[in-house]
Amino acid sequence: MYQLTKEGEKYLKEGLPEERLAKLVEKSPLSLEECSKHVDNLSIALAWGKKKGLIKLEGSNVVFIKHDDGEELRKLRKIKDGKEIDKNSANRLLRRKLIAEIKEDIDKQAERQLIYITQKRTEGVEIKSKSRIDESDTPITPQLIKTGLWKEIDLKSREIKKPRKINFVSGRKHIITEYIELFRKIFLSLGFTEITGPLVESSFWNFDALYQPQDHPAREMADTFFLENPSKAKLPDKKIVERVKAMHEHGNGESTGWGYKWSSEIARQLVLRTHTTAVSARQLAKTRGAGKFFCIGRVFRNETIDFKHLPEFTQIDGIVIEKDVGFKDLLGYLKEFYRRLGFEKVRFRPAYFPYTEMSVEPEVYLKERKEWVELGGAGIFRPEVTIPLGVKYPVLAWGLGLERPIMLKFGIKDIKRFYYTNDLKFLKEVEID
Amino acid sequence: MAVIEMAKNDLETLVGKKLSDVDIKERIPMIGAPLEGITNNTLQYEVFPNRPDMLSVEGFARAIKDFLDLEKKSHIYKTSDSGVTLFIDNSVKKVRPYIACAVIKNITFTGDAIKSLMQTQEKIHQTLGRKRKKVAIGIHNIEAVEQPFYYKAVEPEKIRFIPLDMKRKLNLKEILREHPKGIKYANILEGKTTYPIIIDKNENVLSFPPIINGELTRVRNDTHNLFIDVTGTDEKAVNTALNIIVTSLADRGGKIETVTLVDNEKKKKTPVLEYKKIKLDISYAKKLLGIPIDEKRIKTLLQRMGYLYENGQVKIPPYRADIMHQMDIVEDIAIAYGYENFKPKKPVNESGKELKEQQRKEKIRNSMIELGFQEVVNLVLTNEDNEFKKMGLKPKDYVKTKNPLTTECTICRKKLIPSLLNVFSQNKHRRYPQKIFELGYGVYLDKNSETGTRDKLVLAAAISDDVINYGDLLLVLENLMKKLDIDYKLEKTDHPSFLKERCNKIIFQGKEKGIIAVINPDVLKKFSIEKPVVAFEILWS
């Protein structure tokens, strides 16, 4: 909505200065001085007259070319009469400051909004516009608040639309971090001490100390990342190495050992650790007496990248070193551990790992999928593992990968989604309870 | 992972009972053989590496017959002398030193028997045999050849025979080059100048272990008498494999006969199907398992797993290969007792101890989140291209893998900014501005450490949008450092990955700890990122 400025009012009454000048010189050219006597604001009249091509200057004489088309005056008249004019003309007049926007008072704005809002509803008009008022289920605007007109809004007729996801504006932890923290809490509340170890590990700690024979298929190139640079590790304390070697080669009287020639060169080969059980092995060698430890960290498998496989994942490992613990304690820890993780039903199946006996594969019941799913592995470390490392007590151990339970829980089919590509939309919106 | 397949009715014939759904799906897996697949008439079970005896359908049937209490008698296998002799030549000692042989008489291959035998052979090759390197099995029609047999090493071009599935004679070198099995397993003989061979009295070739048998001794449906050779690099594994094969064939009705092996002056007979003894400390078993079991109960439980028990001694069947320690026996007692029958003992609540580093990690992470950044998690593995070349750097001082399966994972990262750039390049279709950070590890070379490397904790953060401000990230850094109570200063620097005029070192505790900079648009192009990026990276340890 526009109104005429003072200048606009004046021109509407007297005519535009450039046209008045043109009329003045229509019959014959006049000098500037003469013109100034008849036309006030001569400089404006000259400028617009020249711009519109109504007149021209010859020396100090003003010479007539044509009359103004009167368009601007007609538009000014329209506005004066309270009629609408087109955007282009309005802009021209605005630039020339002949008209100005009417500052609608807040009551009027509020009223207009109210009418708009109620009409859209009552007329049953399908809302297609992207107006923020249209999309709001509670369209109370600052104007409506100030005037108190908000009371007139019929909120009942507005459908409440709950968006599927909250659109977080803030930053957020990665879903993997959330789960690592959950696992840490569980272990800490069960009295476990957190331990850590290197990502690059010697074959000695990754395999040999865990009584994995040197020709074990897991040690083959296809599954394990060996290193080119650096390629060899230092071996630990000689006594430990000697005892491990003896256990592999011929046992210790109680055990027959694997019965082959053990090579320290193979044990020195560096690998990217294939499990955090390597960290547990290091801990066994350090621990005298009892203790409970856990480790959460990245492990590596020589895989190609696809939706199911990544060459890295996060592994969780827990060990309990304690006098007189046995199989039932192991099952008890597992049951409690998985219960705290949210799995009420757990069952245990026989399994095989080269470094445990009474090897167990825990299975948890997935309510959503109505099926049992294996989750991790567990067992009691073989004496062939614990004795060379100087441990006197039985050692309960279990481990699991972190990504699989997350994928199961959220029905994520593509592991790349949260590691590798870090789909920012997914990370921002995924709902974790 | 070894999975064996069998016809359900074949298994049922061997077991002597119709197997119910519960048996198949619930009971049998509890011996330690997860059901992997089931159709109307076939079953697939996984067999763990410690039970190669269950890799044969016959051995599998034998184990579950005991486990399901369908048979109370022990599995004693009698042998008699076949009169067959095999001479071991010294030439073979450096090539493939161990051999064990047997003769099987009166076998009738009906139904699934021959398929089962081939599967057993193949599965043993892959598992216990370590892809034939450690153990390889040859099965022959003994009627086609004449004893005595000779096991020796020969020059590859000196001997020619028709290998299985071929029509003409080839020498050993040609076999390695042309025969599918030769091509597949040639690596086992790499570097050897002579190759192992088993021939008969008339220099007919039975076998070129561990590659291929001769066509001459091919076993057919109507073959009744077999000669079996097992060769390898590990005597124990060789004997175990032979025992598994002959007991399986005996379960099919064959008669086991021994072969006399002559090694210089020494003579011995194989197979040796004796039960080995191991002492069982019952109190040890009771303590580990926490169940009330007496000697009588233990005897029953052991029988369920195919053992015999007498006066504190457990007798281990000759086809079992995995018993190294009495703990292995204890595990089998637990399996016989049923994992499902143990009552788990609830642990107590105590309070544990977290890593020192953890609190700082949490503080850094929470600070970045409060500052509005989304955490991302990336692989430690990357390649030279991402870590160095795209960043305008020359590859230098880094951990390199020897045998990667993919070109994406050839080295360990040191820096995290390249990881963040990767995230940007994968998220171009997502809403901007994108503000991300990662708190993770880079792997650095360190000659002084045991592993020659050291993991370092690194924080990197980055913003990408149509319009970015270096100042915005400077403010983030300032806020982060304030939260962490660290006095730091910035110093102008120059780095090929970043814009010269927008690049500062971050210095604290008297050391250069990181960098804050606008990424060089040339770098962005290489990551195919279209919007500008400002980033910082700090090395914490």
Side-chain angles (χ1 to χ4, degrees):
Chain A
M1 290 292 276
Y2 306 99
Q3 60 186 12
L4 300 191
T5 59
K6 261 192 185 155
E7 203 181 347
E9 291 277 6
K10 187 172 176 242
Y11 294 164
L12 186 62
K13 229 184 273 163
E14 301 173 358
L16 298 169
E18 62 272 25
E19 172 56 15
R20 285 169 56 210
L21 180 62
K23 266 189 185 147
L24 188 67
V25 298
E26 189 182 358
K27 301 251 165 70
S28 62
L30 286 172
S31 70
L32 284 169
E33 202 184 8
E34 192 64 23
C35 289
S36 69
K37 285 178 192 159
H38 300 279
V39 182
D40 51 350
N41 297 324
L42 182 64
S43 54
I44 293 174
L46 279 171
W48 282 102
K50 279 196 275 182
K51 194 174 172 175
K52 290 182 177 174
L54 309 182
I55 49 132
K56 62 180 178 184
L57 271 179
E58 279 176 4
S60 60
N61 284 340
V62 181
V63 179
F64 174 81
I65 301 172
K66 64 170 184 181
H67 285 290
D68 184 63
D69 61 7
E71 188 61 28
E72 278 163 299
L73 270 187
R74 276 195 293 280
K75 293 281 149 68
L76 283 178
R77 168 57 53 198
K78 272 195 167 175
I79 288 169
K80 181 76 179 170
D81 295 343
K83 288 179 186 149
E84 301 255 310
I85 62 165
D86 67 281
K87 197 97 186 155
N88 275 343
S89 313
N91 283 341
R92 241 167 82 199
L93 297 175
L94 274 173
R95 273 201 302 276
R96 217 176 153 176
K97 296 211 169 69
L98 300 186
I99 59 168
E101 262 181 287
I102 302 174
K103 280 274 178 292
E104 206 177 32
D105 67 36
I106 192 151
D107 292 295
K108 272 194 183 148
Q109 285 176 30
E111 213 168 308
R112 218 154 44 82
Q113 283 175 355
L114 190 64
I115 290 165
Y116 178 75
I117 292 163
T118 44
Q119 259 185 0
K120 282 262 174 181
R121 282 294 144 195
T122 48
E123 286 167 8
V125 179
E126 198 190 335
I127 297 173
K128 272 187 186 145
S129 78
K130 277 278 178 192
S131 154
R132 286 166 69 194
I133 291 179
D134 287 339
E135 285 188 345
S136 171
D137 60 7
T138 314
I140 298 174
T141 64
Q143 289 81 358
L144 292 172
I145 292 170
K146 191 157 184 191
T147 56
L149 278 176
W150 60 270
K151 289 175 193 151
E152 309 295 324
I153 297 173
D154 170 22
L155 287 177
K156 265 182 265 169
S157 70
R158 286 255 158 179
E159 184 197 349
I160 298 174
K161 283 176 288 181
K162 201 169 148 219
R164 226 158 37 82
K165 298 269 164 64
I166 292 179
N167 204 355
F168 292 97
V169 196
S170 59
R172 208 180 159 190
K173 272 179 204 162
H174 195 282
I175 184 170
I176 290 197
T177 306
E178 299 270 10
Y179 271 80
I180 288 177
E181 284 179 6
L182 172 65
F183 278 101
R184 292 184 61 253
K185 253 185 224 153
I186 294 171
F187 274 115
L188 290 170
S189 68
L190 285 167
F192 285 68
T193 299
E194 190 170 10
I195 54 173
T196 183
L199 296 171
V200 170
E201 188 55 283
S202 64
S203 288
F204 182 84
W205 288 115
N206 198 73
F207 298 121
D208 295 282
L210 291 165
Y211 196 54
Q212 262 172 288
Q214 294 188 326
D215 74 338
H216 192 275
R219 299 178 72 149
E220 275 177 23
M221 288 278 192
D223 297 313
T224 305
F225 278 109
F226 287 87
L227 294 192
E228 187 176 302
N229 178 49
S231 62
K232 296 276 171 169
K234 297 186 183 101
L235 288 180
D237 187 81
K238 250 192 183 153
K239 273 186 211 153
I240 293 178
V241 176
E242 281 308 312
R243 289 197 298 250
V244 167
K245 174 182 154 98
M247 192 54 91
H248 278 247
E249 290 191 338
H250 49 73
N252 65 340
E254 270 184 41
S255 170
T256 61
W258 287 113
Y260 71 97
K261 182 106 187 74
W262 187 84
S263 148
S264 64
E265 276 312 294
I266 291 177
R268 284 183 61 207
Q269 283 177 346
L270 282 170
V271 299
L272 295 177
R273 73 175 175 209
T274 61
H275 48 191
T276 44
T277 319
V279 183
S280 299
R282 283 176 174 273
Q283 188 61 39
L284 289 182
K286 276 188 261 184
T287 307
R288 296 289 159 263
K292 302 200 271 192
F293 304 94
F294 77 98
C295 175
I296 302 178
R298 202 69 71 82
V299 300
F300 303 82
R301 299 284 159 86
N302 200 358
E303 302 255 23
T304 51
I305 297 174
D306 64 28
F307 72 100
K308 239 166 122 182
H309 302 98
L310 278 183
E312 293 179 34
F313 60 96
T314 312
Q315 205 195 341
I316 295 147
D317 228 57
I319 53 171
V320 176
I321 312 167
E322 210 175 302
K323 197 171 180 234
D324 296 335
V325 286
F327 192 47
K328 283 182 168 174
D329 300 278
L330 173 68
L331 301 185
Y333 272 107
L334 289 171
K335 198 162 180 204
E336 186 61 21
F337 182 80
Y338 284 109
R339 192 183 66 77
R340 291 187 186 197
L341 206 53
F343 298 109
E344 287 298 330
K345 280 160 85 181
V346 186
R347 67 180 190 186
F348 304 107
R349 330 282 285 172
Y352 171 78
F353 309 104
Y355 37 87
T356 55
E357 268 302 347
M358 261 82 79
S359 300
V360 182
E361 211 159 60
E363 287 186 340
V364 296
Y365 189 72
L366 282 189
K367 275 177 269 176
E368 301 83 2
R369 286 166 52 167
K370 291 199 172 69
E371 63 176 345
W372 291 94
V373 179
E374 57 171 270
L375 203 55
I380 300 177
F381 272 132
R382 298 185 64 99
E384 289 94 335
V385 174
T386 55
I387 288 168
L389 299 178
V391 177
K392 304 276 185 298
Y393 301 146
V395 181
L396 316 176
W398 69 95
L400 73 155
L402 177 72
E403 287 74 12
R404 193 169 139 78
I406 296 179
M407 291 175 76
L408 284 173
K409 190 164 173 94
F410 296 102
I412 301 169
K413 298 236 165 56
D414 185 354
I415 189 169
K416 287 191 312 220
R417 201 155 174 213
F418 57 101
Y419 246 131
Y420 199 59
T421 54
N422 282 288
D423 182 340
L424 293 179
K425 185 166 189 279
F426 169 77
L427 293 179
K428 208 179 250 303
E429 292 177 354
V430 63
E431 283 167 43
I432 301 172
D433 40 57
Chain B
M1 187 171 105
V3 174
I4 62 159
E5 189 179 296
M6 48 203 140
K8 189 174 164 222
N9 55 15
D10 187 33
L11 182 68
E12 285 174 337
T13 311
L14 286 161
V15 171
K17 183 202 165 194
K18 219 153 176 59
L19 295 168
S20 69
D21 234 34
V22 174
D23 287 335
I24 288 165
K25 290 182 182 158
E26 307 290 331
R27 293 298 307 141
I28 293 173
M30 291 309 285
I31 197 174
L35 180 65
E36 292 294 325
I38 178 167
T39 65
N40 279 343
N41 42 28
T42 63
L43 302 172
Q44 290 177 328
Y45 286 99
E46 183 188 347
V47 173
F48 297 143
N50 60 334
R51 293 298 302 268
D53 57 302
M54 288 169 71
L55 289 172
S56 80
V57 181
E58 300 80 14
F60 192 91
R62 191 190 308 136
I64 65 167
K65 207 149 73 173
D66 291 328
F67 186 65
L68 300 176
D69 291 332
L70 299 175
E71 190 167 75
K72 285 276 152 59
K73 71 175 204 295
S74 61
H75 312 282
I76 307 277
Y77 293 90
K78 294 219 168 64
T79 59
S80 54
D81 191 349
S82 66
V84 174
T85 302
L86 177 136
F87 292 93
I88 302 170
D89 193 81
N90 283 335
S91 61
V92 89
K93 296 284 167 67
K94 279 197 176 141
V95 184
R96 199 169 173 83
Y98 301 107
I99 186 166
C101 304
V103 168
I104 298 289
K105 290 269 175 71
N106 304 330
I107 183 91
T108 306
F109 287 120
T110 53
D112 297 297
I114 211 161
K115 199 171 136 202
S116 159
L117 179 62
M118 284 169 69
Q119 175 175 251
T120 310
Q121 189 181 4
E122 179 54 24
K123 297 291 174 187
I124 290 176
H125 280 160
Q126 293 308 316
T127 56
L128 181 67
R130 303 281 194 263
K131 298 184 180 139
R132 300 197 187 185
K133 190 170 178 241
K134 201 172 176 183
V135 172
I137 302 160
I139 301 169
H140 313 271
N141 174 11
I142 199 171
E143 310 295 346
V145 281
E146 216 177 319
Q147 72 102 21
F149 303 129
Y150 300 85
Y151 180 43
K152 62 180 185 180
V154 296
E155 283 170 37
E157 275 137 356
K158 286 269 164 70
I159 203 157
R160 295 161 64 81
F161 71 99
I162 305 174
L164 271 178
D165 304 323
M166 279 211 161
K167 295 224 155 59
R168 61 190 175 92
K169 280 190 176 178
L170 283 88
N171 70 34
L172 305 188
K173 211 159 229 163
E174 288 166 339
I175 289 174
L176 293 191
R177 243 185 354 241
E178 291 171 35
H179 197 283
K181 298 286 177 196
I183 294 163
K184 193 166 174 194
Y185 296 105
N187 63 311
I188 300 171
L189 295 172
E190 219 171 73
K192 313 273 187 211
T193 49
T194 56
Y195 295 164
I197 200 96
I198 300 169
I199 51 172
D200 80 342
K201 185 183 167 187
N202 309 313
E203 301 218 338
N204 287 316
V205 176
L206 283 79
S207 175
F208 168 24
I211 311 297
I212 191 82
N213 285 353
E215 183 64 38
L216 178 68
T217 56
R218 179 191 277 278
V219 175
R220 300 171 202 279
N221 276 329
D222 59 358
T223 307
H224 292 291
N225 300 323
L226 308 173
F227 176 75
I228 296 162
D229 76 82
V230 183
T231 59
T233 55
D234 180 311
E235 190 173 13
K236 199 169 130 192
V238 163
N239 283 310
T240 304
L242 181 65
N243 291 353
I244 291 168
I245 294 284
V246 299
T247 51
S248 296
L249 287 167
D251 288 357
R252 290 275 183 196
K255 196 166 145 280
I256 306 169
E257 295 186 351
T258 58
V259 171
T260 305
L261 305 180
V262 183
D263 181 357
N264 294 314
E265 299 308 309
K266 280 183 291 180
K267 280 187 184 179
K268 66 173 178 186
K269 286 183 180 175
T270 60
V272 182
L273 294 171
E274 281 167 5
Y275 277 60
K276 286 213 184 78
K277 284 180 194 161
I278 186 168
K279 206 173 153 308
L280 176 69
D281 178 354
I282 292 182
S283 67
Y284 174 80
K286 269 165 85 169
K287 206 159 127 190
L288 264 183
L289 298 177
I291 47 174
I293 36 171
D294 55 12
E295 212 174 348
K296 200 178 145 209
R297 181 93 173 105
I298 280 192
K299 197 172 170 174
T300 326
L301 293 173
L302 284 172
Q303 228 164 39
R304 196 173 282 167
M305 297 305 284
Y307 299 101
L308 299 173
Y309 177 83
E310 251 168 41
N311 310 323
Q313 300 275 350
V314 179
K315 288 179 163 181
I316 309 161
Y319 45 81
R320 285 294 294 266
D322 57 310
I323 311 300
M324 288 184 269
H325 189 276
Q326 60 168 332
M327 199 176 194
D328 295 299
I329 305 286
V330 176
E331 180 181 61
D332 273 353
I333 293 172
I335 290 172
Y337 187 81
Y339 276 19
E340 68 277 24
N341 297 321
F342 287 87
K343 198 168 172 283
K345 208 155 104 192
K346 202 177 167 172
V348 287
N349 279 2
E350 295 171 87
S351 71
K353 233 171 76 188
E354 60 182 9
L355 283 172
K356 249 197 203 151
E357 191 184 54
Q358 192 58 40
Q359 285 185 359
R360 172 145 68 155
K361 271 168 84 171
E362 258 166 50
K363 207 161 177 191
I364 295 170
R365 181 179 288 120
N366 290 337
S367 300
M368 287 313 298
I369 288 164
E370 282 165 27
L371 290 165
F373 283 71
Q374 168 67 47
E375 187 184 20
V376 296
V377 172
N378 289 289
L379 301 183
V380 171
L381 284 161
T382 180
N383 59 22
E384 282 94 342
D385 212 30
N386 273 319
E387 179 81 4
F388 299 108
K389 289 179 195 155
K390 285 186 187 167
M391 297 299 287
L393 303 171
K394 282 207 177 94
K396 202 182 149 200
D397 300 335
Y398 56 98
V399 172
K400 190 172 184 353
T401 62
K402 193 193 269 176
N403 56 325
L405 280 179
T406 141
T407 53
E408 285 166 281
C409 302
T410 54
I411 73 168
C412 288
R413 70 172 179 189
K414 293 195 282 186
K415 306 278 188 204
L416 267 62
I417 285 181
S419 300
L420 297 192
L421 292 179
N422 248 337
V423 173
F424 284 140
S425 76
Q426 308 248 25
N427 278 279
K428 287 192 285 190
H429 56 304
R430 297 302 183 203
R431 188 182 290 174
Y432 284 86
Q434 292 178 357
K435 297 162 76 178
I436 57 174
F437 80 99
E438 181 173 10
L439 182 62
Y441 290 93
V443 187
Y444 286 73
L445 295 178
D446 179 353
K447 282 200 178 103
N448 297 321
S449 88
E450 186 186 334
T451 56
T453 62
R454 189 167 299 283
D455 306 333
K456 294 190 180 180
L457 185 65
V458 186
L459 167 71
I463 305 174
S464 180
D465 202 358
D466 281 318
V467 178
I468 52 151
N469 285 302
Y470 188 47
D472 288 348
L473 200 64
L474 287 172
L475 186 65
V476 169
L477 179 68
E478 187 182 308
N479 270 282
L480 172 72
M481 293 309 217
K482 210 176 275 171
K483 281 173 199 278
L484 299 173
D485 209 11
I486 293 172
D487 278 330
Y488 74 103
K489 59 178 189 193
L490 297 178
E491 220 173 72
K492 274 203 165 255
T493 186
D494 193 2
H495 189 290
S497 311
F498 309 113
L499 279 187
K500 198 176 175 184
E501 299 77 10
R502 298 281 183 280
C503 184
N504 279 286
K505 285 190 267 189
I506 303 168
I507 298 164
F508 54 90
Q509 292 157 359
K511 277 184 202 147
E512 184 184 337
K513 295 280 194 178
I515 202 154
I516 178 163
V518 173
I519 311 291
N520 188 325
D522 285 339
V523 172
L524 295 179
K525 266 195 169 166
K526 287 179 206 152
F527 280 93
S528 50
I529 298 170
E530 283 113 27
K531 295 185 200 285
V533 177
V534 55
F536 71 73
E537 180 168 279
I538 300 169
L539 204 63
W540 294 104
S541 54

